[in-house]
Amino acid sequence: MSKLSLSKKSIQIIKSITNSTYLDFIGLIIVITASIALGYHNTEYKFTFQGKNYVFFLGYVSIVNTGLSMIGNRLVTKKNNIGNFLATCNTFLSGSIDYLLGNVGAILTYPVSFVANYLVFNTWKKNRVLRSVDFIFYRNIVLGFFFSLVLNYIAFKYLSEKEIDWKLFFAIAIPAGITFGGTFNTARMYPDNWFMWQFYNITKLIQNLLMMNIANVAKYSFYFFNAIIGYITWNDDRKKALK
């Protein structure tokens, strides 16, 4: 994509789309519709407290969480730091939901994401400079996968009573590694970091296409599109800043 040649007019059109409020609402409608189509709103968490049985409608919290994730993503694309604040809140909700639904690794991995998103928010408050790829970019990717593999192994090995399901382990650890590395690099505002998120989107698209999960295909297709225009917008802004 870095070699893609676009006219100034095309870039301006893409940047206007990137910064459009209308696209925020389109994305929100897509993810909420997908969540309802997948039946997230029907998800319940049943528990017992002081001898009484209770039902917590976890699905509705999940839909709110999905909406927060979309809006946070779109605001970050527009370089609005409120998006990182929403991402921090979203991480707390996502971790809680995943843990309640049986992801034992969430108790170790999501605190890392929570702290990373907060640090991104704090960094953007002080400095917002679009950077070219350097050693730190690759170091952060390696650190992301290191933290994910180690923490998920500890969780699967010592926090679960079951034998390690290696397919499930890598299905959770690899996306988490991409997320960690991508979040670390968001703090330094690399336009090329959109390729990290794009790789995540592609894996999710392939996964859901194989499962014929059309609702999630629609959701990740939007994220795929947003990552493309995000890269083009950030890359053009970086070039102008260097002049």
Side-chain angles (χ1 to χ4, degrees):
M1 188 182 294
S2 59
K3 295 182 179 180
L4 182 63
S5 178
L6 294 170
S7 67
K8 289 184 179 180
K9 184 177 180 180
S10 296
I11 291 175
Q12 288 306 312
I13 292 173
I14 290 170
K15 291 176 78 170
S16 67
I17 294 173
T18 301
N19 296 306
S20 169
T21 302
Y22 294 111
L23 194 59
D24 300 348
F25 287 107
I26 291 171
L28 194 59
I29 290 169
I30 289 173
V31 296
I32 290 178
T33 301
S35 297
I36 293 174
L38 292 169
Y40 284 1
H41 58 295
N42 294 322
T43 304
E44 298 178 346
Y45 179 71
K46 299 178 181 180
F47 63 99
T48 302
F49 181 71
Q50 293 184 345
K52 294 184 178 180
N53 296 323
Y54 295 91
V55 175
F56 177 56
F57 295 100
L58 190 63
Y60 291 100
V61 177
S62 180
I63 291 177
V64 170
N65 183 54
T66 301
L68 280 176
S69 177
M70 168 57 72
I71 294 301
N73 182 277
R74 284 289 302 136
L75 289 174
V76 168
T77 307
K78 295 190 282 188
K79 297 190 286 293
N80 187 327
N81 200 24
I82 295 175
N84 291 312
F85 175 76
L86 291 178
T88 305
C89 299
N90 170 252
T91 302
F92 176 78
L93 283 174
S94 295
S96 301
I97 292 168
D98 271 15
Y99 182 75
L100 291 175
L101 292 178
N103 179 6
V104 293
I107 199 170
L108 295 177
T109 57
Y110 275 93
V112 175
S113 291
F114 180 85
V115 171
N117 277 298
Y118 174 75
L119 291 176
V120 173
F121 170 70
N122 197 45
T123 300
W124 278 33
K125 283 198 300 183
K126 300 174 182 176
N127 186 10
R128 276 182 245 185
V129 178
L130 292 164
R131 292 179 169 85
S132 298
V133 171
D134 53 16
F135 171 77
I136 297 175
F137 178 85
Y138 296 107
R139 183 205 65 184
N140 286 344
I141 293 174
V142 172
L143 283 175
F145 278 98
F146 172 78
F147 279 120
S148 177
L149 291 169
V150 170
L151 293 176
N152 275 294
Y153 179 79
I154 292 172
F156 273 76
K157 181 70 175 179
Y158 301 106
L159 299 183
S160 176
E161 297 178 354
K162 302 177 182 178
E163 290 291 323
I164 297 180
D165 181 339
W166 289 106
K167 288 183 179 179
L168 180 61
F169 172 82
F170 285 111
I172 292 174
I174 291 176
I178 297 172
T179 301
F180 286 169
T183 304
F184 296 158
N185 280 329
T186 298
R188 290 176 59 81
M189 298 187 74
Y190 299 104
D192 298 270
N193 193 42
W194 286 106
F195 290 118
M196 283 291 292
W197 299 120
Q198 200 65 297
F199 180 67
Y200 177 84
N201 295 331
I202 290 171
T203 57
K204 285 293 185 179
L205 272 172
I206 293 172
Q207 181 187 72
N208 285 286
L209 278 170
L210 291 174
M211 296 170 61
M212 293 303 293
N213 189 332
I214 305 304
N216 263 348
V217 167
K219 182 172 75 172
Y220 285 104
S221 293
F222 179 86
Y223 280 120
F224 182 89
F225 169 76
N226 188 68
I228 292 174
I229 63 174
Y231 169 78
I232 293 171
T233 299
W234 283 33
N235 191 51
D236 185 65
D237 289 343
R238 176 179 58 184
K239 289 178 180 178
K240 288 182 176 178
L242 293 173
K243 290 182 179 179

